[in-house]
Amino acid sequence: MVNIMFSGNSAIFKGMLLGVLSILKHYKGPLTIYITTLDYTELKPMFTCVTQEQANLLDKIVKESNPLSNVILMDVTTLFKQLLNGKNQKNDYSPYTLIRLLTDKLDLSDKILYLDSDIMACGDISLLYNIDIENYEFASALDYMGKFWIAKDYFNAGVTLFNRKLAIQNNLFEKCRDLVNTKWFKMPDQTALYRSKTSMLILDDKFNEQRLPKEDTIIKHFNKGIKWFPFFHIYNVKQWQFDKVHKKLKINCFDDIFELYNTLLVDYEDIILNKQTN
């Protein structure tokens, strides 16, 4: 069983769906997918919970691939607002990234793979999940820019394999919450994990490729990037922006997944895009 955790709102569900479709292409074993979500409409009207209908649709899709798979929806609104009420709610990054700092308080497996909603699988996800992290709190790949600008071991938390048992034993998540509740950070969850860790395993870049996919890439992460030529600018293209993925990033390896997504959109557009409330 591969246990995966996504965090996000109803508007970002399309990213989770695309990510799962890509995972199912390369991995046919059983999955448990935890979708952690919260209502934060007082911050932004679009910050509504992933709906039960969206979770049910994803559950249907994963069970078609493997009947032993399942999707579990977890509304963490109350817990989040009780424990994460500090200086990092308004940030360049979504507050939903902070949900991973509640991992000790949630009913999850002892080993859990946290994935941002802007990832796509290029290979078998179990090659990452089955890495031995018994002696580490978590495993992550280095951050493409942060390893130069911040610290040589600064990592990207968008793909993180957690050993919850050891992390809880070392109070990792509690220390992280204390930090983000008292100090403002540009990249709050990531920096809190970096500063609070006791032991981590650095993963190969192929498990969190933050630029163009390569032949051995397992996960492509559609995170922010920098272009230096012909002029300096920051780009932030997500996988559901199909035209930009093709024209700006010059990535075409996910076209079969995009086509499958569009096929699902014909029958389930109201659910996928949550048009009932948006």
Side-chain angles (χ1 to χ4, degrees):
M1 178 71 72
V2 171
N3 300 287
I4 295 173
M5 173 183 172
F6 285 103
S7 298
N9 55 59
S10 61
I12 215 71
F13 174 76
K14 55 183 177 285
M16 299 180 196
L17 174 57
L18 282 161
V20 171
L21 290 174
S22 67
I23 289 170
L24 295 176
K25 175 182 175 180
H26 302 283
Y27 170 76
K28 303 303 180 185
L31 289 167
T32 295
I33 297 175
Y34 300 91
I35 299 178
T36 53
T37 190
L38 71 111
D39 185 299
Y40 218 143
T41 47
E42 63 263 39
L43 193 62
K44 283 187 179 181
M46 66 177 290
F47 283 174
T48 58
C49 287
V50 172
T51 69
Q52 189 61 59
E53 290 77 13
Q54 289 174 325
N56 290 345
L57 174 60
L58 198 61
D59 187 68
K60 175 178 181 290
I61 290 168
V62 299
K63 279 183 167 59
E64 287 173 353
S65 177
N66 189 310
L68 296 179
S69 295
N70 61 101
V71 173
I72 299 170
L73 182 63
M74 307 176 79
D75 183 345
V76 302
T77 302
T78 301
L79 184 64
F80 185 95
K81 293 176 181 178
Q82 286 175 346
L83 296 179
L84 291 166
N85 52 14
K87 298 185 176 182
N88 290 278
Q89 308 306 309
K90 294 183 179 180
N91 193 282
D92 289 344
Y93 293 87
S94 162
Y96 290 83
T97 64
L98 296 173
I99 292 177
R100 80 193 78 182
L101 304 184
L102 300 173
T103 302
D104 58 330
K105 299 296 184 181
L106 303 177
D107 185 13
L108 304 168
S109 62
D110 282 344
K111 190 176 188 181
I112 190 81
L113 175 60
Y114 174 88
L115 297 175
D116 277 351
S117 298
D118 56 353
I119 64 92
M120 294 286 281
C122 302
D124 185 346
I125 199 79
S126 68
L127 295 176
L128 167 56
Y129 188 81
N130 290 331
I131 290 174
D132 182 6
I133 57 167
E134 183 178 357
N135 296 317
Y136 303 95
E137 294 170 333
F138 62 89
S140 290
L142 296 178
D143 188 85
Y144 184 84
M145 299 303 296
K147 63 186 177 184
F148 299 111
W149 290 359
I150 301 174
K152 64 181 181 180
D153 62 343
Y154 191 77
F155 55 88
N156 184 286
V159 178
T160 301
L161 183 62
F162 283 110
N163 175 354
R164 286 182 68 247
K165 185 175 181 180
L166 184 58
I168 292 171
Q169 178 181 317
N170 292 343
N171 296 315
L172 172 67
F173 303 108
E174 187 175 345
K175 289 187 286 186
C176 287
R177 290 194 295 269
D178 287 343
L179 269 179
V180 298
N181 281 339
T182 55
K183 296 182 180 180
W184 184 91
F185 298 110
K186 177 70 173 177
M187 296 174 284
D189 56 288
Q190 196 163 277
T191 301
L193 284 166
Y194 177 77
R195 293 193 179 189
S196 302
K197 70 185 186 305
T198 299
S199 58
M200 72 162 289
L201 176 67
I202 297 177
L203 297 173
D204 190 279
D205 290 346
K206 68 182 181 182
F207 294 115
N208 186 354
E209 178 53 64
Q210 296 153 56
R211 293 301 181 265
L212 292 177
K214 301 177 178 63
E215 187 175 344
D216 65 345
T217 298
I218 301 300
I219 293 178
K220 159 62 185 162
H221 190 180
F222 287 82
N223 59 330
K224 290 182 180 179
I226 294 175
K227 291 281 189 180
W228 300 94
F229 184 84
F231 58 89
F232 173 86
H233 68 284
I234 298 174
Y235 64 89
N236 191 21
V237 176
K238 301 305 182 186
Q239 75 266 36
W240 53 84
Q241 298 172 301
F242 301 155
D243 286 344
K244 289 184 178 181
V245 170
H246 290 147
K247 296 175 182 177
K248 189 173 182 66
L249 301 184
K250 310 299 182 185
I251 294 175
N252 299 288
C253 60
F254 301 115
D255 285 0
D256 57 337
I257 304 298
F258 296 164
E259 184 176 345
L260 178 56
Y261 173 87
N262 283 331
T263 300
L264 289 168
L265 209 57
V266 172
D267 293 326
Y268 302 106
E269 181 176 5
D270 287 350
I271 294 176
I272 294 171
L273 302 183
N274 194 26
K275 288 191 171 181
Q276 299 93 328
T277 58
N278 292 321

